[in-house]
Amino acid sequence: MTFRRAALVVLILVLLAPLALAGGWQAFLRFQPDRQRYPVRGIDVSHHQGAIDWPAVAADDVAFAYLKASEGGDHRDRQFAMNWRAARQAGVRVGAYHYFTLCRPGVDQARNFLATTPPDVDALPPVVDLEFGGNCGTRPDGAALRLQLDAFLGPVEQRAGRPAVLYMTDEFRRAYGGVLPDRPQWRRSIVFKPSGRTAWTIWQFHNRGRVAGIKGPVDLNLFAGDRAAFDRWAGP
């Protein structure tokens, strides 16, 4: 290959690279796991999504939504109560989640979560969000984490009347998976199906999804079974 021809090839590759990257990004944004295998879709939101048009969300094939209720021992999401009422009115099954901080006692966090969430009998099982992103710098050993997590789960599960769900990132699971209690798992694994032998109940497969009624990106999730299995799991 002559120098001139080689230079032309390089130039073409340079010119085509942005198109290839743009195409890959668009493919990522459109990614959806097999809808026949996983027909029950959901989202999780907080105040970061701003005002939400819940009837539009419900019409966009969203069956369930987990709403951020609280964080740590004193923070409460300012959109939670509004989202809870509006989502239920739109016919979306709702549940609440708590972001568990590693530097506050579990009993304080449970008190905050229970004070924020209504004791609705038809709510989805409560969720505790376990991740390092945005957390405090404390890294307790496994025994200390389990002690505080159990202190949170005790009163929360007592009121709910059923086991809570553990949401976790792969990083958190690698660090503490060996000491976590046996609970249904909600796994965050963007695009790729969750790995490992442990069964999961919910899969968060996208973090830049698009749903009608929400301006900007939103987390997308799916349930592990069909609609009948979801209804049995979700409760009354």
Side-chain angles (χ1 to χ4, degrees):
M1 182 183 294
T2 66
F3 174 79
R4 179 174 295 179
R5 185 171 297 178
L8 179 60
V9 170
V10 171
L11 178 60
I12 292 173
L13 291 175
V14 170
L15 293 175
L16 290 178
L19 296 177
L21 290 173
W25 177 248
Q26 290 303 315
F28 166 72
L29 292 178
R30 294 192 299 268
F31 172 74
Q32 290 278 342
D34 185 348
R35 297 192 70 86
Q36 290 187 333
R37 185 174 182 183
Y38 303 113
V40 183
R41 303 300 169 106
I43 58 176
D44 59 274
V45 301
S46 70
H47 69 275
H48 291 294
Q49 275 67 46
I52 297 176
D53 182 345
W54 284 104
V57 170
D60 197 16
D61 194 28
V62 173
F64 68 94
Y66 268 100
L67 318 175
K68 183 174 183 180
S70 52
E71 178 175 333
D74 46 29
H75 175 77
R76 300 177 183 181
D77 192 277
R78 61 177 177 270
Q79 290 290 113
F80 173 75
M82 183 181 300
N83 282 334
W84 188 270
R85 290 192 300 269
R88 284 165 57 88
Q89 290 171 359
V92 178
R93 293 297 303 266
V94 296
Y97 77 88
H98 172 84
Y99 183 93
F100 192 85
T101 59
L102 301 175
C103 49
R104 291 293 298 268
V107 65
D108 291 349
Q109 300 193 56
R111 189 178 299 114
N112 187 26
F113 178 76
L114 292 174
T116 306
T117 56
D120 294 336
V121 296
D122 61 345
L124 298 176
V127 168
V128 54
D129 180 352
L130 302 171
E131 58 182 297
F132 293 129
N135 218 310
C136 57
T138 301
R139 292 292 183 269
D141 62 30
L145 171 70
R146 178 62 184 269
L147 182 67
Q148 297 307 324
L149 184 57
D150 285 347
F152 174 85
L153 292 173
V156 169
E157 292 179 333
Q158 182 177 18
R159 191 180 78 174
R162 56 178 133 175
V165 176
L166 305 184
Y167 169 95
M168 69 187 80
T169 62
D170 284 342
E171 182 185 18
F172 197 96
R173 186 174 64 90
R174 286 192 296 268
Y176 292 112
V179 301
L180 295 178
D182 183 19
R183 296 292 191 279
Q185 292 191 6
W186 176 357
R187 297 279 299 280
R188 181 185 190 274
S189 186
I190 305 304
V191 175
F192 297 102
K193 190 175 179 179
S195 61
R197 297 180 180 180
T198 305
W200 50 269
T201 300
I202 302 175
W203 170 19
Q204 185 183 96
F205 66 87
H206 216 311
N207 61 346
R208 304 290 295 178
R210 293 294 189 274
V211 169
I214 297 178
K215 296 179 181 178
V218 64
D219 293 335
L220 302 180
N221 305 276
L222 55 79
F223 181 73
D226 60 15
R227 185 63 195 231
F230 174 78
D231 290 340
R232 290 192 298 270
W233 174 79

